[in-house]
Amino acid sequence: MTSETRAALTEKTLAIAVRRLAARDVDLRTTVERFGSPPLWDRPSGFSTLVHIILEQQVSLASAAAAFGRLEARLGTLTPAGFLELTDAELLGIGFSRQKARYARALASAVEDATLDIGGLGALDDEAVERELVALPGIGPWTATIYRLMVLRRPDAWPASDIALAQSLAEVRGLAERPSPGDMLAIAETWRPWRAVAARILWHGYLETRAERRRNGR
């Protein structure tokens, strides 16, 4: 990793990267001109955020946020030890599937026994972060990449299997169907070392487009 790709994105470097990408790619420029620059969308590091990202796997952000809110209401401060005290029935009532409950339990146990040092992930390069996270049950490349992108704010993280991201790219490029993860990787090559910024632009366009449709009753 170069110093540019290792440094966490800030509001300042995000703005710089948005300008660079808009100058380089007409579709990204059109999205920025229409909807403005995207938010930084940063999240705090730690166990609770990773649990939240696990809840977001293959469901809507609203559904995951509702379940996470119920979890926080149940526990107050969310800690690995507190999470491990919850029964399967309690987790199902909160909104965890049996599979996600198992994944989150494995994560909590790994943090408790220091198998995973979440606080130390920021000192690792992207590949090492990926290895540490995907070694846990239920944490695949998407979850690990979202953690790198939003929590560690790595500028070149690119969640190639993200459905909303693929849909947004299909819409801005006028593609007949959503690109495959392999296609997503190929398309994004030209956006290095700012692929995480391109992702923010595309997500921003995706969300704003749908908000616009709701306002217009479509």
Side-chain angles (χ1 to χ4, degrees):
M1 289 171 63
T2 66
S3 59
E4 187 174 56
T5 57
R6 187 182 299 114
L9 278 172
T10 63
E11 294 286 358
K12 181 178 179 180
T13 55
L14 174 66
I16 292 170
V18 167
R19 289 196 297 270
R20 290 182 182 179
L21 288 170
R24 187 187 304 175
D25 187 290
V26 64
D27 295 316
L28 295 182
R29 180 167 67 250
T30 299
T31 302
V32 171
E33 288 174 348
R34 182 177 177 187
F35 300 115
S37 293
L40 183 60
W41 278 321
D42 57 331
R43 299 188 185 189
S45 64
F47 170 73
S48 62
T49 294
L50 199 42
V51 170
H52 194 168
I53 296 172
I54 288 172
L55 282 168
E56 290 174 338
Q57 294 172 354
Q58 299 178 322
V59 300
S60 71
L61 295 179
S63 174
F68 188 74
R70 289 191 291 270
L71 178 63
E72 287 189 311
R74 174 68 178 79
L75 290 178
T77 301
L78 178 55
T79 65
F83 185 89
L84 289 170
E85 291 179 358
L86 296 174
T87 65
D88 286 345
E90 287 173 318
L91 289 174
L92 289 172
I94 286 168
F96 282 80
S97 65
R98 293 189 184 279
Q99 196 172 44
K100 288 181 181 179
R102 180 167 60 85
Y103 296 162
R105 283 189 192 284
L107 170 63
S109 296
V111 175
E112 273 289 275
D113 65 19
T115 302
L116 175 67
D117 176 14
I118 291 184
L121 292 176
L124 304 179
D125 64 25
D126 283 349
E127 292 75 17
V129 173
E130 188 98 358
R131 284 196 302 272
E132 288 290 312
L133 290 178
V134 301
L136 297 173
I139 297 185
W142 180 85
T143 303
T145 304
I146 294 297
Y147 195 86
R148 287 193 290 114
L149 189 151
M150 290 189 170
V151 178
L152 303 181
R153 303 197 309 277
R154 296 291 169 82
D156 203 40
W158 178 249
S161 61
D162 188 87
I163 293 175
L165 191 59
Q167 182 61 37
S168 181
L169 186 54
E171 290 172 6
V172 302
R173 286 283 170 91
L175 304 178
E177 57 185 22
R178 287 200 302 261
S180 68
D183 291 336
M184 293 280 284
L185 287 171
I187 291 169
E189 275 298 309
T190 60
W191 298 331
R192 288 181 180 273
W194 302 110
R195 291 182 298 173
V197 178
R200 284 173 169 84
I201 293 171
L202 291 166
W203 276 326
H204 186 49
Y206 178 89
L207 293 171
E208 289 298 312
T209 297
R210 279 143 186 82
E212 191 176 77
R213 290 173 184 169
R214 288 193 296 272
R215 288 193 297 270
N216 295 332
R218 289 185 289 155

